[in-house]
Amino acid sequence: MRMTATPRTHTTDWKSAGPAGGRPRVGPRFGRGSRLFHGGLLRNGVRPLLRRHRALLVLLALGVTLRVLVQVAYQPALLYIDSFSYLAKLEELKPGDPLHPIGYTVMLLSWLLPVGGLSLVVVVQHLLGLGMAVLLYALVLRRGGPTWLGALAAAPILLDGYQLHIEHNLMTEPLFEALLLGALALLVWRPRPGYRALAAAGLLFGLAATVRPVAEVGAMVVLCAALLAWRSRRRKPAAGWLAVGLLVACFLVPLFGYATWNSLSGNAFELDGPRRPQLLYARAAPVADCAELSADRVAPHILALCPTEPPERRPGPDWYAHDLSSPIHRVQFPAGVSQQEAMRDFALHVAMNDPLRLTRAVVRDFLKGFAPVRTQSPTDPPLERWRFQHGYPYYPPYDPVETIRGYGGEGPYVQPALASFLRDYQAVGYVPGTLLGLLALAGLLGPAGVGHARWSGVRRSCLLPLLTGLCLLGASATFEFSWRYQLPGLILFPLAGALGLTALLRGSKVVVANRELESDRIDADAIRDFTRRHENVRFAPVTIVIAAYNEADAIGPVLDRIPAQVEGLDVNTLVVVDGASDATVEVAIDRGVYVCDAPVNRGQGAALRLGYRLAREGGAHYIVTTDADGQYDTDELPILLRPLLADEADFVTGSRRLGRAETTDRVRHAGVRVFAWLISVLTRTPITDTSNGFRGMKPEVTGSVLLRQQQYQASELLIGVLAQGFRVVEVPTTMHERIAGKSKKGGNLLYGLQFGRVVFSTWLRERSRRREFARAPEPAVERMEVLTR
């Protein structure tokens, strides 16, 4: 037989010959996580689809239930102060109020109110919330994230009590969030969005800017991020500039139309309008130092705008912007000086005199959004505005009764029991700001290239929602802090965090795949060298595979003790030298055994995997492994082989706990017991020794179990064998001290950590594989039986 080097692949072929007993050959099925959106329903049926996405379905069920309770508790809808302004615009559809742009009224209220009144508006807004959750989930899966990360991204908007409250108000936030997420989805859905996606995203950003002016800032950040990303395309820089130009142009189209409409309505050709200086004044007034302004000899009408109270007793920006007692409503301005010019000049003087104090105020308000609990400082807008009330909220002089009846409704009505329940739920049912901050930090993993994230292909996708969220919250804090303005963070930071973690996980998979390709290349070189050294190899029925790395002093006595026959069967020895730098190869050749010399040191797991393949393809009936350091007694080979020869087992492993351990390391002894207990719990199978290297198995076992670990492979092999239902037997064996040299596995702490990592990662992988392949028809597999002797 002449062996050829072929790449290692793991596929499912239910028709191919499997191990004895009719067991299928199984392996992982690779593909996008977005099977839900690529015909999964037609290919796999409803039940596997529901099973795969059950986390989202549970969250959706909870989200729908909460929204139904809100709809029943407060009928027909909740009306806040701003709600009356949006409704008033229906009488004359024209822009003019920069703090309440007309986009919300035109895109939602103007066509929903005539059809179903106020109730239909909030129902649509609740549906927008549910739709955004599904889109967040789909985005994460589309970019290669697991379902649990998709559920993590969708959970905040589905379950947060403050999101539920704002959706039931006639407020711009649900529509604004939907437009913003839709634009980001178009940019994130593919690694490099096409021109149509860029054009549509630009239009959605522009429309969002007609709903809330702060969207301009967030949109410009996205444009800058897109510019940086596309400029990195050195091969086609012209195409990158064209894409950015298309995105910018389409973003400006709705803004140009809005400004034109504003101009035709008798106002200036602008989007913001004259009230932006009012917000700048409101931010500067609480921190202004009137003495410094007086010393700078500013104009009297500007100095008159400075509050007379000391800074520690002043109210917050909301009071200075809207209260009728604010200085802006009391100061008389000289002829030729407008109120807007005076407020702008005041804010400019404060910023120039004490920029640090003003910056500290903005940063302090920005960081409030990441507080662990929803609290309120004396200068903030009341938190109660955004909480469910026991009764229907009233904001004099506005009359909700008259407004509701004006749109064909009745009420308002409140169900006290449900209202109390929702208020209690909202007190604890919200996403802590600290968690949003952690998700934002997780979103930095991709752009920062932490770990293997740089190889994931998801780095820009993390950056877009992260920068947009930071910019939106920062722009809001520039004027004033309100918990209402923090709600976009419920969408953007979970999405950024989920994509950041996806980048980390996916990058690791890419690195692993590259390592496997490199490992295949090394295997191919080693097999070519082996076939040149040993032509037409046909191994004896019992083949002992030994992985050796720099064991020239120890391997000779080990090879000398291996018998020529065991239980009447001939024995061959195959030594796989794992890139040794000493005379291990020469010592093994002198003993007349088969030698495969891998040119690169990769670890015991990689060497054994290569040895398994050579022995399996070389016709071995039984494969035995032992170490090159002489710790295992080859005189006990009959004990190891008897269960295999009697067809009582497919895999036999030695146990020092059932036999005898002559080693003196008490920490290792304790570790053997701990990991044996752990694997016994995880696999629901009693095991006494999980790291024993003295093992015997049928060749088909090595071809069916997925082996990827370069080192610490004993637990991977054992868990894989148990997971696939092979019959496992433990037999008592002896473990001696090493003949020479020292362990290559590191100290006890490192060994324990690495061994534990392999245990958990292998168990999770095998658990996932079994679930995945349970969807396809499979032949009956006999129940696993573990015998302890």
Side-chain angles (χ1 to χ4, degrees), residues 275 277-288 290 304-330 339 343 346 379 479-480:
R275 293 188 66 181
Q278 179 179 343
L279 299 179
L280 295 174
Y281 166 78
R283 165 51 72 189
V287 299
C290 299
L305 290 174
C306 194
T308 57
E309 303 87 359
E312 62 274 7
R313 295 178 55 188
R314 294 175 188 172
D318 185 65
W319 187 90
Y320 286 101
H322 303 110
D323 197 277
L324 295 178
S325 301
S326 172
I328 60 176
H329 300 294
R330 293 186 282 105
Q339 184 187 49
M343 290 187 294
F346 176 85
T379 60
F479 299 107
E480 67 171 335

Side-chain angles (χ1 to χ4, degrees), residues 620-641:
H621 297 171
Y622 305 100
I623 299 175
V624 176
T625 65
T626 187
D627 285 357
D629 55 14
Q631 286 193 294
Y632 300 110
D633 192 348
T634 52
D635 291 339
E636 296 174 341
L637 276 172
I639 300 175
L640 197 69
L641 285 173

